[in-house]
Amino acid sequence: MSTSHRTIPIQPAPAGAAPSVDGLGCHAGAEALQTAARAAGKSEVLAQYARDYPVAEGPHAQPQSMCPAFGSLRVGLRMRRTATLLSGSACCVYGLTFTSHFYGARRSVGYVPFTSETLVTGKLFEDIRDAVHEQADPSRVDTVVIINLCVPTASGVPLQLLPKEINGVRLIGIDVPGFGVPTHAEAKDVLAGARLRYAREEVQSGPVAAPRGGRSALPTVTLLGEMFPADPVIIGQMLAPMGLAAGPVVPTREWRELYAALDCAVAAAIHPFYTASVREFEAAGRPVVGSAPVGLEGTQAWLQAVGQAAGLAQSQIDAARNPALAAMRGLLSQKPVQGRITLSGYEGSELLVARLLVECGADLRYVGSACPATPWNAHDREWLQQHGVQVQMRATLEQDLAAVHEYKPQLAVGTTPVVQKAKELCIPALYFTNLISARPLMGVAGAGSLVQVVQAAIGNQQRFDDMKAFFGQTGQGDAAGVWSATPQPRPEFKAEVRRQLDKQARRRKAEEMGS
């Protein structure tokens, strides 16, 4: 009995055809997701991100980071009377909500789920619109933020088609894909910039609400970048002799603070990667200065730049610089930090910390930042290079680890994996985010605080040596992991596996030559 077979021919896709996003996930890779997103109408968004947050070419072009969307989620969750919704794969949403609450969020995160069917038919957008209408209750919130993660962005879910407001509640839709925004630090700027743009358009349309405490009697300096709470106060004290005041910190905690932030004399890019936010200040006609008042030379240059940008006379600038510098000279002249250090992180303040360490006497060999080079950190980069420090922007984990191996520091300050590797090498180490960023950095208080923690860490070398001598090779190499009994080396097993692999390699080589 014969059976007829029908062969279905494989036809090449026509040129320019949009790739299917059905089932497309993070595993598809950045290139496939970018291609799908552009074909689905997200070319303009991705092109703007490429300009705002450029990366280098090559296999390690994008620094290692937690999901970038965490940055935008963090900014949204820290703002009063704001509801935040996520649209993305369930596993991504779970990870982001877990991380956000681990970092202290006290608000729920909304989630708009999808299936392959709702994704490709456009029903997901309808579900998002329904969710936004449900959340837009003016008695509870002033703003609803909806964030597209990788897959909805790749499929072209058009958040820009949502209304700008519902029942007086503002709606802000942003795409924050891991294949378009390099780090979670820069994702903070995606939402901060979108909110500033919305607020600036409101200001242009008519009167807006005054800040909760009223308008400042003095011209203000808006501070860009999340900082330790004491730093804006310290900066305000430095600015006061010039007749200036410290303004809001962007990202702000309340919507009306955005109006006050835009109503400034100068915007200070303390964290220099807030490119979209800077664009809004420039559109509002506000000058922007980089760097920060850290160390002696950094404080002198920053106060000078702020004073000039605000149009002040040199006598007014000197009135602020002289007391600030006098207070710092005593501490820094002692060169209290003694030791060789490598420094790396992803917060954006790495170059500022590096400058302060150098002025405190540290033998700083390397500073790496996952953030990009921008016009607002150019002065810091040049200063550090002139002082013999290797500066690596868009630094990867591989580069940070290579610096530890190359310079053999007495203290490694870095991200979690850098700290882990340094401690394996019996080198004292500090986690940048929790132990450096979480303390003041500006003025005398910043220098004193940094000196204390750095010197204490360097002084721990003897403890590391003692532990190394006690534990030896325990838990390393073949003995790593959890064992119910003392692990015993079995070199004969290794030899047999090596023999099998060599045999397999020779067979493949023979087959290649025969073909």
Side-chain angles (χ1 to χ4, degrees):
M1 181 176 177
S2 63
T3 303
S4 61
H5 295 279
R6 178 171 177 265
T7 302
I8 301 176
I10 299 175
Q11 302 290 345
S20 171
V21 296
D22 185 13
L24 202 62
C26 300
H27 60 277
E31 187 174 342
L33 289 164
Q34 286 177 348
T35 300
R38 291 190 181 96
K42 296 290 185 178
S43 295
E44 186 177 342
V45 172
L46 293 181
Q48 185 63 62
Y49 287 166
R51 291 190 294 270
D52 287 347
Y53 319 115
V55 295
E57 297 293 332
H60 300 300
Q62 182 166 341
Q64 294 89 340
S65 167
M66 69 176 73
C67 172
F70 172 66
S72 292
L73 179 61
R74 174 186 174 108
V75 168
L77 290 176
R78 288 190 165 194
M79 195 166 188
R80 298 186 187 94
R81 292 183 55 82
T82 297
T84 306
L85 307 178
L86 295 177
S87 173
S89 300
C91 56
C92 300
V93 172
Y94 170 77
L96 285 168
T97 53
F98 176 87
T99 306
S100 66
H101 291 299
F102 176 79
Y103 273 82
R106 296 181 180 179
R107 299 196 186 104
S108 297
V109 179
Y111 171 41
V112 184
F114 65 85
T115 64
S116 294
E117 180 180 356
T118 62
L119 186 67
V120 300
T121 61
K123 178 66 165 54
L124 174 57
F125 176 74
E126 304 299 327
D127 292 342
I128 290 174
R129 186 165 57 186
D130 291 343
V132 167
H133 275 82
E134 183 179 342
Q135 291 295 318
D137 179 357
S139 67
R140 296 187 301 109
V141 298
D142 298 326
T143 312
V144 175
V145 175
I146 173 70
I147 302 172
N148 265 349
L149 305 182
C150 288
V151 175
T153 298
S155 69
V157 175
L159 297 181
Q160 68 274 14
L161 296 184
L162 292 171
K164 288 202 65 174
E165 66 173 51
I166 298 173
N167 300 327
V169 176
R170 307 169 185 86
L171 303 185
I172 297 179
I174 54 175
D175 296 284
V176 192
F179 57 83
V181 182
T183 67
H184 74 280
E186 290 156 295
K188 296 175 186 176
D189 178 50
V190 174
L191 181 52
R195 296 194 311 189
L196 282 167
R197 181 172 63 252
Y198 199 120
R200 183 171 60 80
E201 291 171 352
E202 287 182 317
V203 171
Q204 291 173 338
S205 299
V208 294
R212 189 180 295 271
R215 293 186 65 185
S216 170
L218 299 173
T220 60
V221 177
T222 293
L223 307 175
L224 274 174
E226 292 183 316
M227 286 177 281
F228 186 76
D231 278 337
V233 177
I234 294 169
I235 290 174
Q237 292 170 348
M238 293 183 186
L239 293 171
M242 276 196 284
L244 299 175
V249 175
V250 174
T252 63
R253 299 296 184 93
E254 190 173 17
W255 187 270
R256 63 176 65 187
E257 290 178 357
L258 293 167
Y259 308 136
L262 290 164
D263 184 29
C264 65
V266 180
I270 305 293
H271 287 193
F273 57 83
Y274 280 81
T275 311
S277 299
V278 165
R279 186 163 53 246
E280 296 308 317
F281 282 103
E282 291 177 338
R286 301 315 191 242
V288 181
V289 299
S291 195
V294 293
L296 197 66
E297 293 185 37
T299 299
Q300 179 173 332
W302 188 80
L303 290 173
Q304 180 71 34
V306 168
Q308 289 178 342
L312 302 181
Q314 188 61 46
S315 58
Q316 291 177 275
I317 299 172
D318 292 339
R321 290 200 315 178
N322 294 338
L325 300 180
M328 223 173 263
R329 282 194 180 95
L331 174 63
L332 297 182
S333 63
Q334 301 170 23
K335 301 295 182 186
V337 175
Q338 302 295 323
R340 186 168 58 256
I341 299 174
T342 59
L343 170 70
S344 54
Y346 46 60
E347 300 293 330
S349 58
E350 292 78 27
L351 302 191
L352 302 178
V353 175
R355 288 193 62 156
L356 186 51
L357 283 172
V358 171
E359 289 207 43
C360 288
D363 178 14
L364 184 67
R365 300 296 182 89
Y366 169 87
V367 55
S369 174
C371 296
T374 72
W376 306 285
N377 59 22
H379 179 70
D380 294 329
R381 296 197 313 271
E382 294 168 2
W383 189 93
L384 288 165
Q385 289 165 347
Q386 289 168 2
H387 286 75
V389 181
Q390 179 187 347
V391 179
Q392 180 63 58
M393 307 307 295
R394 283 287 187 234
T396 63
L397 174 59
E398 292 80 7
Q399 291 168 323
D400 293 342
L401 293 177
V404 172
H405 285 283
E406 172 70 20
Y407 297 118
K408 297 178 175 56
Q410 294 167 274
L411 174 66
V413 181
T415 56
T416 305
V418 173
V419 169
Q420 176 187 355
K421 178 57 67 175
K423 290 182 177 179
E424 286 180 5
L425 298 171
C426 204
I427 297 172
L430 295 172
Y431 178 33
F432 187 94
T433 300
N434 283 10
L435 296 173
I436 302 298
S437 284
R439 62 183 61 249
L441 183 60
M442 314 299 165
V444 178
S449 175
L450 185 64
V451 166
Q452 183 179 21
V453 70
V454 168
Q455 280 299 102
I458 293 176
N460 281 334
Q461 184 63 61
Q462 185 60 49
R463 295 174 63 190
F464 276 83
D465 294 338
D466 292 344
M467 286 191 290
K468 182 68 174 178
F470 179 80
F471 288 105
Q473 300 299 314
T474 301
Q476 297 183 4
D478 294 342
V482 179
W483 295 78
S484 58
T486 303
Q488 299 296 325
R490 299 300 295 266
E492 66 275 15
F493 289 172
K494 286 186 176 182
E496 176 60 21
V497 171
R498 191 178 300 111
R499 188 184 69 79
Q500 293 289 346
L501 291 174
D502 291 343
K503 181 179 178 181
Q504 189 179 66
R506 288 195 300 271
R507 184 168 60 249
R508 279 200 302 265
K509 188 172 182 64
E511 290 172 353
E512 291 172 2
M513 294 178 66
S515 62

